[in-house]
Amino acid sequence: MTRFRLLSWIGVLFVGQCFLLALGQTWVFLAPFLLVFGWISFLQRVLPEVTFSGRAIAEALGVTGVLAVGAHVFLRRLWRQRRADSPGPSEWPARWSVMLVAAMVLLFTATMASVGVAHHVGWMMSGRVPLTRSSWPQWNIDGSRSAGLLCETALTHVKAGTPTERLSLKLLEDPETRARAEALHVVSRVSEDQERYLLVFPRDPRSREEAGGAYCGPGLERARPLDAAAVQAWLAEPGRSPPPPPSPESVQRGLP
């Protein structure tokens, strides 16, 4: 019975991981690997950027040396006074002083590391930046799917009479669209035929290269995705006409 229960739990965990993987949550598999071997890639990325200050190193070594010598002299004298009338060694061993100073340095380093960890955890928990990102760019907060949803919401505000210059502020004031508005740009563009379109794309250039953006406007029932090249071309030429909407035949065939 115990073996069957163990196999059942393993099966449930496996199915759950497969479900999360299907949603693009690869962190389920990456987290255990990174916890064990993540420090290797961290050192490869950080060590080439590390710079050493000779003055700071000399000061640290000097302070540590003075502390070690002073502690040894003080403890040796105190040891002699305490052990003057007692049998056993009357000299304070130098290795004890070295061990004591090493423990103090280790404690100081651990304290700084703990403060840094607490500060970083507090920053992550208090911020609105998501702790994980999907391996499918379109599902991220600044992906093409979010860009399309924000574009449709922005177009609704424009049709309701919101001026385009106040559109971003309107989206930021709405709690339902604030997170997307912080991650995405909303730009108004007038095409060659004097039709106004809204172009939405990530603020982060790296996300823009991965996910592209979206646009919406007259003649479109829903927002249309754009790749990074099309977004860049439209930004470079404000009067550029957007790509044509899909034909009914292509929609019936399931083509973009």
Side-chain angles (χ1 to χ4, degrees), residues 31-42:
F33 177 81
L34 293 177
L35 286 175
V36 179
F37 301 104
W39 59 273
I40 299 177
S41 59
F42 173 78

Side-chain angles (χ1 to χ4, degrees), residues 227-251:
D227 57 19
V231 172
Q232 189 63 32
W234 208 354
L235 290 175
E237 301 179 25
R240 182 187 182 96
S241 297
S247 62
E249 293 79 7
S250 64
V251 173

Side-chain angles (χ1 to χ4, degrees), residues 139 144-153 155-156 159 180 197-198 200 213-226 242-246 251:
W139 288 95
S144 58
R145 182 176 179 273
S146 292
L149 295 175
L150 186 64
C151 190
E152 294 173 1
T153 304
L155 185 60
T156 302
K159 292 180 179 179
R180 291 193 179 100
Y197 293 87
L198 295 179
V200 182
Y215 76 98
C216 55
L220 298 177
E221 296 182 359
R222 304 196 64 178
R224 292 278 293 164
L226 289 175
V251 173

Side-chain angles (χ1 to χ4, degrees), residues 110-121:
T111 302
M112 290 195 302
S114 301
V115 172
V117 169
H119 176 76
H120 197 68
V121 170

Side-chain angles (χ1 to χ4, degrees), residues 98-116:
V98 174
M99 294 172 59
L100 180 61
V101 173
M104 294 176 62
V105 172
L106 181 61
L107 181 62
F108 178 73
T109 306
T111 302
M112 290 195 302
S114 301
V115 172

Side-chain angles (χ1 to χ4, degrees), residues 129-130 132-134 136-150 179-185 200-214 226 231:
V129 179
T132 60
R133 289 180 63 87
S134 174
W136 296 346
Q138 64 271 20
W139 288 95
N140 289 319
I141 190 65
D142 54 359
S144 58
R145 182 176 179 273
S146 292
L149 295 175
L150 186 64
R180 291 193 179 100
E182 289 178 343
L184 298 165
H185 272 301
V200 182
F201 55 91
R203 298 179 184 271
D204 188 348
R206 296 170 298 180
S207 300
R208 193 183 312 166
E209 289 293 330
E210 294 178 356
L226 289 175
V231 172

